[in-house]
C-alpha cells in the first residue's frame, strides 16, 4: 500500500508505513508474471517486524516531512506475544498559506498495528492492520465542474497462522 497522487502529472509515491516498522526488505530483480496489475519488472518484498517481547517502549520523532509515534511491547507476561503500533502524519501541507501559495500541497497520515502470539512453540497467529489517507490540493485555475481536491483512503487487514511442523518445514 502506498500514498500516491493520481492524475497530477509527474509525482512520486510513499509507502504507508515508516522504516521503523520494517524488519526486512528484498528487491527481486527481473521480470515476473503479471500478478500485480499491468506492471512487469522488479518487485519489492517487505516484511513488517514484530514488537519487542521483553519491554514496553514508546518513541516519537519529527523530521522535515512528518511526525512519527511508535509503541511496542510484550503482549503477555510470559513473552508469548508482542504488539506494535505506529502512526505518522505529514507536515508538508502545514502551515497553509491560503490564497498566497502556488505549490501543490500533498498531505498524508497512516498507521500500522501488528499483534503476534505464540499459541504453541510451533504455532504463531498474527494480525496486521495498515491504513492511511492522502490528499492533494492544487491551486490551478479549474472550471466549476472540475474537482480541486483529491483524497484517497486505503486499508489492509492480514490475519496469519504460521506452523512449524519440523525444523526444516514451515507452513
Amino acid at each position: 500500500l502506498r500514498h500516491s497522487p493520481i492524475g497530477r502529472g509527474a509525482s512520486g509515491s510513499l509507502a504507508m508505513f515508516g522504516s521503523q516498522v520494517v524488519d526486512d526488505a528484498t528487491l527481486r530483480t527481473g521480470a515476473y508474471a503479471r500478478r500485480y496489475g499491468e506492471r512487469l519488472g522488479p518487485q519489492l518484498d517487505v516484511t513488517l517486524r514484530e514488537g519487542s517481547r521483553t519491554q514496553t517502549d514508546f518513541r516519537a520523532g519529527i523530521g522535515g516531512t512528518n511526525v512519527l509515534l511508535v509503541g511496542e511491547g510484550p503482549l503477555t507476561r510470559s513473552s508469548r506475544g508482542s504488539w506494535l503500533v505506529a502512526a505518522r502524519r505529514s507536515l508538508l501541507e502545514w502551515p497553509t498559506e491560503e490564497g498566497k501559495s502556488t505549490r501543490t500541497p500533498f498531505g498524508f497520515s497512516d498507521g500500522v498495528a501488528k499483534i503476534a502470539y505464540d499459541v504453541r512453540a510451533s504455532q504463531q497467529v498474527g494480525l496486521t492492520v495498515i491504513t492511511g489517507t492522502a490528499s492533494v490540493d492544487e491551486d490551478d485555475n479549474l472550471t466549476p465542474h472540475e474537482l480541486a481536491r483529491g483524497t484517497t483512503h486505503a486499508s489492509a487487514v492480514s490475519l496469519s497462522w504460521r506452523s512449524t511442523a519440523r525444523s526444516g518445514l514451515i507452513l
Side-chain angles (χ1 to χ4, degrees), residues 52 54-58 71-74 83:
S52 172
T54 58
Q55 66 181 10
T56 301
D57 187 29
F58 294 96
E72 62 183 305
W83 60 271

Side-chain angles (χ1 to χ4, degrees), residues 59-88:
R59 295 180 303 281
I62 188 165
T65 60
N66 64 67
V67 63
L68 170 74
L69 302 170
V70 179
E72 62 183 305
L75 196 57
T76 63
R77 292 180 191 221
S78 62
S79 299
R80 290 179 62 179
S82 68
W83 60 271
L84 173 72
V85 176
R88 285 189 310 174

Side-chain angles (χ1 to χ4, degrees), residues 23-148:
D23 183 39
D24 184 49
T26 304
L27 180 62
R28 302 181 189 284
T29 60
Y32 294 88
R34 289 185 50 178
R35 297 186 328 191
Y36 301 105
E38 301 173 0
R39 295 167 179 83
L40 291 174
Q43 300 172 3
L44 182 62
D45 183 17
V46 177
T47 303
L48 301 180
R49 70 179 180 87
E50 292 183 12
S52 172
R53 291 181 179 229
T54 58
Q55 66 181 10
T56 301
D57 187 29
F58 294 96
R59 295 180 303 281
I62 188 165
T65 60
N66 64 67
V67 63
L68 170 74
L69 302 170
V70 179
E72 62 183 305
L75 196 57
T76 63
R77 292 180 191 221
S78 62
S79 299
R80 290 179 62 179
S82 68
W83 60 271
L84 173 72
V85 176
R88 285 189 310 174
R89 173 114 174 108
S90 71
L91 304 174
L92 296 177
E93 77 282 9
W94 183 86
T96 59
E97 299 177 27
E98 295 197 24
K100 299 178 184 176
S101 176
T102 58
R103 67 185 179 100
T104 302
F106 172 66
F108 65 90
S109 61
D110 52 44
V112 175
K114 184 170 183 174
I115 295 173
Y117 184 74
D118 297 337
V119 179
R120 295 187 180 133
S122 63
Q123 296 184 12
Q124 182 186 69
V125 294
L127 174 68
T128 304
V129 177
I130 302 173
T131 186
T133 300
S135 63
V136 65
D137 193 4
E138 290 195 9
D139 295 331
D140 296 337
N141 295 324
L142 302 174
T143 67
H145 301 290
E146 293 179 304
L147 296 175

